[in-house]
Amino acid sequence: VLDRVPEAQFVCAAMQGQQEAEAWVERLRIGEHVHLMPYLTQEHLWAIFQRAAVSVSISAHDGTPNSLLEAMAVGCFPVAGDIESLREWITPGVNGLLVEPDKAQALAEALVLALENPDLREQAAETNGDIIQQRAEVYLVRSQIAVFYERLMTM
């Protein structure tokens, strides 16, 4: 990624003090581009997402991470693991990119694609804002949960 986008900066939440991460940064000599952060408050994480061009959430199995939805909500372009739960939220090339979790080169290519295409990021931000508003807006979800539990209680 740094060969193609030398100005890129990587902010890694909850990685400060992680020996394996610190060793990678040192071995690869990328310390001026990688910021290993401590655990962050929700407000700090949101502030980072608002300033970031791309968020990365690569996992081999998971539900839908809140951090992914939060990043999408503030206009940060998502690059995520190609797993079933995330295919419900991301249409590759439209509002994000999905990458097989064990394919490092594919991840690098996805990051470069996203970083080099501001129009793609802008369109995705608009689409993701609509998706979050329609499917994940907090008041909407709360009311849906209330209806769900009311139905359960009357069974």
Side-chain angles (χ1 to χ4, degrees):
V1 173
L2 291 172
D3 286 344
R4 295 276 303 277
V5 187
E7 69 278 9
Q9 297 290 311
F10 300 88
V11 178
C12 308
M15 297 294 283
Q16 188 177 68
Q18 300 293 324
Q19 291 179 345
E20 186 175 16
E22 290 174 349
W24 288 338
V25 170
E26 187 175 322
R27 187 178 79 242
L28 296 171
R29 298 185 183 140
I30 54 175
E32 65 188 52
H33 297 277
V34 177
H35 309 278
L36 302 177
M37 307 297 289
Y39 284 93
L40 301 171
T41 65
Q42 199 65 60
E43 291 78 22
H44 282 116
L45 192 57
W46 291 339
I48 289 170
F49 285 148
Q50 285 178 316
R51 294 182 60 206
V54 178
S55 71
V56 178
S57 180
I58 302 297
S59 59
H61 56 84
D62 202 352
T64 302
N66 285 339
S67 59
L68 175 75
L69 299 179
E70 292 163 353
M72 290 170 65
V74 297
C76 193
F77 186 89
V79 175
D82 189 4
I83 58 177
E84 186 174 344
S85 61
L86 300 184
R87 285 183 222 119
E88 296 176 27
W89 294 93
I90 296 175
T91 302
V94 175
N95 68 319
L97 295 170
L98 297 175
V99 177
E100 289 186 47
D102 60 345
K103 305 286 186 197
Q105 185 61 40
L107 173 58
E109 291 168 9
L111 290 172
V112 168
L113 176 65
L115 290 169
E116 290 183 338
N117 288 283
D119 291 342
L120 174 63
R121 294 193 316 268
E122 185 177 319
Q123 181 58 46
E126 189 174 311
T127 300
N128 287 335
D130 292 342
I131 289 170
I132 297 299
Q133 188 70 29
Q134 293 167 10
R135 296 181 52 204
E137 196 277 326
V138 68
Y139 297 108
L140 171 67
V141 173
R142 282 183 187 163
S143 66
Q144 290 172 338
I145 290 170
V147 169
F148 173 78
Y149 281 114
E150 285 177 26
R151 286 183 185 156
L152 277 179
M153 292 173 52
T154 59
M155 293 180 110

